[in-house]
Amino acid sequence: MTHKTIAATIVAGVIAAAGTVQAQSLGGQTVEYTIPFSESGGSGQWANFYAPRLSQALPGNPTVVVRYRPGAGSTEGANWFQTQQDKGDGLTIFGDSGSTKFPYLLGDPRVRYEYADWKPILASATGGVVYLPPDLGARFDGDMDDLKDEVYLYGSQGATTLDLVPLLAFKMLGLQVDPVFGVDGRGGGRLMFERGEANIDYQTSSAYIANVQPLVDGGQAVPIFTWGALDEAGNIVRDPTFPDLPSFKEVCEATAVCETEGTAWDAYKAFFVAGFANQKTIFLPASASQEMVDTYTEALRAITTADGFMDEAGEVLGVYPQLIGAAAVEATRQATAITPEAKQYVLDWLKEDYGITMD
């Protein structure tokens, strides 16, 4: 899509938003949109989708540049953003992921950031697709019973990152999965799969659409299930972006050793919500004025209500809610809280299976 096309799709929304608040012009300036991952993963796809649209929608049409600060499962970049809380002039924004929320929820000692300090302005739900090499994928028939005797290698950012969801799901399915920890973003895990160094992988929807669908089309990968999505009643249903694929819940129900009730399921669902139902969020620093928050909120509202946005977002991000303003604040509040029981179950599992403690 060209720069002019992007401008055309949102200009009507920008005009409609004009006058709602007294917007603060950022003309002639550069907004740095920091992502705590490498550029090859889903967060990079997400940020690069929004960056040019923000440039067009924000007053004065500032340049919006995506910066990458990967490291320590995204906690390094999040810790950096915590030090920027006095940069409330609108030129510093930050995009997190479930991999950033999980260490916070678990009390990871690497975490020196506090979500309560940050100001959410947009929350994006997303999904994820699990896929196998063709030889294994051909044996999938809706359950994992015939595949549980294989030994799987999985490139992982770390057990307390967003990879917690797939690792817990694989355990619940009875799979023997040996994670190779320390890959640089989910893009690193995909590259391991492409090189034949891993034989199971998952990617968030945006990265799957951009980077894995070509592998599927070329016969190099076979998708088997998604994590699913939440309906209005809070039930896990099929992912609307991939309606032909079963959800993890369906596969769990069909697999002998997997159960969709009890403590393990409750823990899985809690982290699924934190990692996917509100998987990515754009934040302003704590010192951003209400005027600046309103400026970004109106720009994002204009973007997400513009003609053609849903079609464009569906092609890149998948068909998921994009929550603005107060809705983003509430979604973030829910995604950064966890029950003591679910937290303890996961802490015990991490210690038993991977020797990981939060001490």
Side-chain angles (χ1 to χ4, degrees):
M1 180 179 302
T2 67
H3 192 69
K4 290 183 179 179
T5 302
I6 293 170
T9 62
I10 66 176
V11 67
V14 174
I15 293 171
T20 305
V21 296
Q22 184 177 357
Q24 183 170 334
S25 177
L26 298 174
Q29 302 190 73
T30 298
V31 175
E32 294 204 351
Y33 181 0
T34 297
I35 296 295
F37 302 98
S38 67
E39 60 186 304
S40 61
S43 290
Q45 297 283 341
W46 173 69
N48 282 293
F49 176 82
Y50 272 110
R53 290 166 173 80
L54 277 169
S55 179
Q56 289 296 318
L58 285 167
N61 306 128
T63 300
V64 179
V65 178
V66 179
R67 304 290 191 197
Y68 301 96
R69 297 183 70 98
S74 84
T75 60
E76 185 174 309
N79 286 337
W80 170 85
F81 182 63
Q82 187 68 36
T83 69
Q84 307 297 303
Q85 296 308 296
D86 61 341
K87 303 291 181 63
D89 55 4
L91 302 182
T92 299
I93 61 176
F94 181 78
D96 81 335
S97 172
S99 287
T100 321
K101 294 180 175 76
F102 286 7
Y104 176 85
L105 291 173
L106 293 171
D108 190 316
R110 296 175 300 176
V111 170
R112 298 190 297 277
Y113 50 92
E114 176 50 65
Y115 271 101
D117 292 343
W118 305 353
K119 295 186 175 181
I121 51 176
L122 176 137
S124 292
T126 192
V129 181
V130 177
Y131 55 98
L132 298 172
D135 58 332
L136 296 177
R139 293 164 52 191
F140 177 77
D141 60 358
D143 63 60
M144 299 302 289
D145 291 328
D146 292 337
L147 289 163
K148 62 182 176 58
D149 294 329
E150 297 290 334
V151 176
Y152 296 91
L153 294 177
Y154 173 71
S156 172
Q157 299 170 85
T160 60
T161 70
L162 193 60
D163 285 339
L164 186 154
V165 169
L167 290 172
L168 182 55
F170 298 154
K171 177 182 177 66
M172 293 169 67
L173 291 170
L175 303 183
Q176 181 181 336
V177 177
D178 294 331
V180 179
F181 291 131
V183 302
D184 191 7
R186 287 301 326 134
R190 172 181 55 80
L191 291 173
M192 284 184 62
F193 181 92
E194 290 189 44
R195 292 192 297 260
E197 299 167 357
N199 59 349
I200 192 168
D201 192 44
Y202 106 91
Q203 295 291 316
T204 55
S205 298
S206 54
Y208 179 87
I209 292 168
N211 300 316
V212 181
Q213 188 59 54
L215 301 179
V216 174
D217 295 341
Q220 299 167 272
V222 176
I224 56 172
F225 63 85
T226 74
W227 303 129
L230 287 183
D231 66 13
E232 293 182 357
N235 301 309
I236 295 180
V237 297
R238 287 200 172 192
D239 188 318
T241 304
F242 309 100
D244 295 334
L245 292 177
S247 69
F248 168 69
K249 183 179 181 181
E250 292 174 78
V251 176
C252 181
E253 289 172 334
T255 300
V257 299
C258 196
E259 297 182 355
T260 56
E261 58 182 18
T263 306
W265 177 257
D266 291 344
Y268 167 81
K269 188 173 180 182
F271 279 87
F272 162 76
V273 170
F276 291 90
N278 175 17
Q279 205 245 18
K280 301 183 190 300
T281 314
I282 301 178
F283 296 93
L284 282 164
S287 59
S289 65
Q290 188 59 47
E291 179 184 4
M292 186 57 68
V293 171
D294 291 343
T295 296
Y296 270 87
T297 298
E298 291 305 320
L300 287 162
R301 201 179 306 282
I303 291 168
T304 56
T305 58
D307 290 343
F309 172 81
M310 291 307 298
D311 289 339
E312 296 162 8
E315 293 177 0
V316 179
L317 306 179
V319 184
Y320 304 104
Q322 306 294 307
L323 304 177
I324 311 296
V329 173
E330 176 59 19
T332 302
R333 185 192 68 78
Q334 293 185 27
T336 54
I338 188 171
T339 66
E341 295 80 10
K343 178 179 179 179
Q344 191 58 53
Y345 176 87
V346 172
L347 289 173
D348 291 344
W349 161 62
L350 290 171
K351 182 177 181 180
E352 180 180 343
D353 281 25
Y354 303 117
I356 295 172
T357 66
M358 295 296 111
D359 299 334

